[in-house]
Amino acid sequence: MAVRQADVVLVGGGVMSATLGMMLRQLDPSLDIVMVERLDHVAHESTDGWNNAGTGHAGYCELNYTPETGDGDVTIDRALQINASFEVSLQFWSHMVEQGILPEPKTFINRTPHQSFVWGEDGVKFLKRRYERLSAHHLFREMEYTESPRDLEEWMPLVVNNRDPMQRVAATRIRHGSDVDFGSLTRSMVKFLESTPNFELMLSSPVHFLAKRDNGRWKVRVKNQKTGELTKLEAGFVFLGAGGGALPMLQKSDIDEARGYGGFPVSGQWLVCQKPEIVKQHDSKVYGKAPIGAPPMSVPHLDTRIINGEPALLFGPFAGFTTRFLKQGSMFDLFGSVSSTNLRPMLSVSRTNMDLTRYLIGEVFQSHSDRVASLRNYFPDAQEEDWRLQDAGQRVQIIKKSPDGGGKLEFGTEIVAAKDGTLAALLGASPGASTAAHAMIDVIERCFPQRIKTPEWQERMKAMVPSYGQSLVDDEQLLNKVRERTLSTLKLG
């Protein structure tokens, strides 16, 4: 059987692989790139519009990115980092719109104010302190704060209608927040890649074998689920961007850097309303505080969504316990991921996170009435019959070996790369797709270190991301310049 030679193999047809493929295509149009996807079309797992929150995560409204300290202060470092990372994605998307690579922005991104909403004395105190800390920084200077019923009536009418007038409430708002249909965005990017030379998309083709040859190149074997045809690929660089499926393949790679990593899978569900008379009354993403014991990705929020051009309201997510790593995966995924190198970290995490496990199992057994009762904290007039339950995507949280040999559960995203730069994988969940451009630049810098230093790649990278190599957190003038361009190009201003 002939071996299909390639420069790059992208495993997974989601937003991460598509973003990396698009960047590499711009940096070097001669690269031969193959994308392999286990399903029969791209962007159908975590990237699909119904499988994620669709929030352009910028730290504007997500309260879990600004944790409270023991003395009542609020730390904002993570929010600053996530905001700057999202600005990189906005620059990248703006470049592709300007080049005609992506279609009209409204097909994948729409202006949707980002708002935080709290109630009770402690909640109001926390939100006010958060506002004071964030709005003092140029990245968040346009944030507004209010406790005024009249303002709230304008900002979030569904949330405040028929609410107890004696309940103390507060909210913040950033007007230029966004709703992103990552599924539509990814399909547009892959469609463009398919129109270019030296690119091949292989659908219904899961990876069955992954190993490194003595010559330093990677052997990748895929089998077409529909035809049974086996294809042997060989590439100088492999990227594992397969969502929950990335961890098992990273383990198959047997690189030293993969040792000790495990995964903790979490499922999710949304309440969805598509009744026009209700949907039209809410135009924002309203985030609250997570219940005690809940994982950070379970922060409740009532969202305006536009998926495949159709408006809807989503509330959730309601997390749950699962053993699958992918929505269309196997019940044995979790057990199959246990190895001699990660057994101790995984056992350690299971012992120290029993409260989380109990919480997730409890979420699974909630009734429709229970879920709507949670929704009424954000929409007091919600009626059960107006909302249906929709399954969301699977998320695999990272388990890492801690210095003491035990394990630690991580709720962020992480790039794991071979020291020779021939293979990289993206693990984890939040903030995920929103920071895809920033994450894939990290992959390029770590896996193509010599080429990214060349004048040609530097110039092309700065064309895609004008702030490349500079700090938006530290440089207010630069931030103002790039934000003015992106808000205008993407019609978010």
Side-chain angles (χ1 to χ4, degrees), residues 221-454:
R221 195 176 301 153
V222 300
K223 185 176 183 180
N224 188 294
Q225 299 288 74
K226 293 182 177 178
T227 66
E229 181 184 1
L230 197 67
T231 301
K232 292 183 178 179
L233 303 169
E234 188 177 296
F237 172 70
V238 174
F239 174 67
L240 305 177
L247 175 62
M249 279 185 280
L250 179 63
Q251 292 174 325
K252 283 181 184 177
S253 75
D254 204 31
I255 63 172
D256 291 342
E257 291 77 8
R259 296 173 66 83
Y261 278 94
F264 185 90
V266 178
S267 62
Q269 294 175 311
W270 304 105
L271 286 176
V272 178
C273 175
Q274 291 179 292
K275 293 186 73 170
E277 63 269 30
I278 297 175
V279 174
K280 70 182 181 182
Q281 295 181 62
H282 188 77
D283 180 27
S284 65
K285 292 180 179 288
V286 177
Y287 275 60
K289 293 190 81 172
I292 294 171
M297 69 285 187
S298 292
V299 172
H301 43 101
L302 179 63
D303 287 2
T304 295
R305 295 299 313 275
I306 300 174
I307 300 174
N308 301 323
E310 296 296 321
L313 291 186
L314 266 66
F315 177 76
F318 297 95
F321 182 75
T322 180
T323 55
R324 299 179 195 268
F325 279 4
L326 292 165
K327 193 172 182 178
Q328 300 187 42
S330 165
M331 295 293 290
F332 299 102
D333 287 342
L334 174 60
F335 310 109
S337 72
V338 179
S339 68
S340 59
T341 67
N342 68 15
L343 177 60
R344 186 179 171 194
M346 291 183 73
L347 289 174
S348 171
V349 164
S350 67
R351 281 196 306 272
T352 57
N353 286 273
M354 284 305 298
D355 287 346
L356 173 60
T357 304
R358 280 192 290 268
Y359 171 83
L360 295 175
I361 292 172
E363 287 274 285
V364 171
F365 290 104
Q366 280 195 98
S367 67
H368 187 62
S369 296
D370 291 334
R371 294 187 177 98
V372 174
S374 298
L375 166 61
R376 289 192 182 117
N377 287 319
Y378 294 84
F379 178 16
D381 292 340
Q383 301 299 311
E384 289 183 24
E385 62 269 19
D386 295 334
W387 297 78
R388 63 177 171 83
L389 196 63
Q390 168 85 34
D391 286 336
Q394 305 290 88
R395 299 291 183 268
V396 178
Q397 310 303 324
I398 304 166
I399 294 175
K400 292 176 67 174
K401 187 180 287 185
S402 53
D404 62 2
K408 182 182 179 186
L409 189 61
E410 301 275 355
F411 288 104
T413 50
E414 185 163 337
I415 302 289
V416 180
K419 60 180 174 290
D420 63 1
T422 59
L423 181 140
L426 184 110
L427 303 180
S430 181
S434 297
T435 57
H438 180 269
M440 295 306 99
I441 288 173
D442 185 18
V443 170
I444 290 168
E445 289 178 336
R446 292 169 66 177
C447 297
F448 298 84
Q450 298 308 315
R451 298 206 67 187
I452 192 60
K453 292 175 185 174
T454 64

Side-chain angles (χ1 to χ4, degrees), residues 76-86 139-140 431 435 438 473:
I76 66 170
D77 290 350
R78 187 156 188 245
L80 297 180
Q81 174 220 330
I82 288 171
N83 188 282
S85 296
F86 185 59
L139 285 168
F140 292 84
T435 57
H438 180 269
V473 174

Side-chain angles (χ1 to χ4, degrees), residues 46 126 230 265 345:
S46 296
F126 162 75
L230 197 67

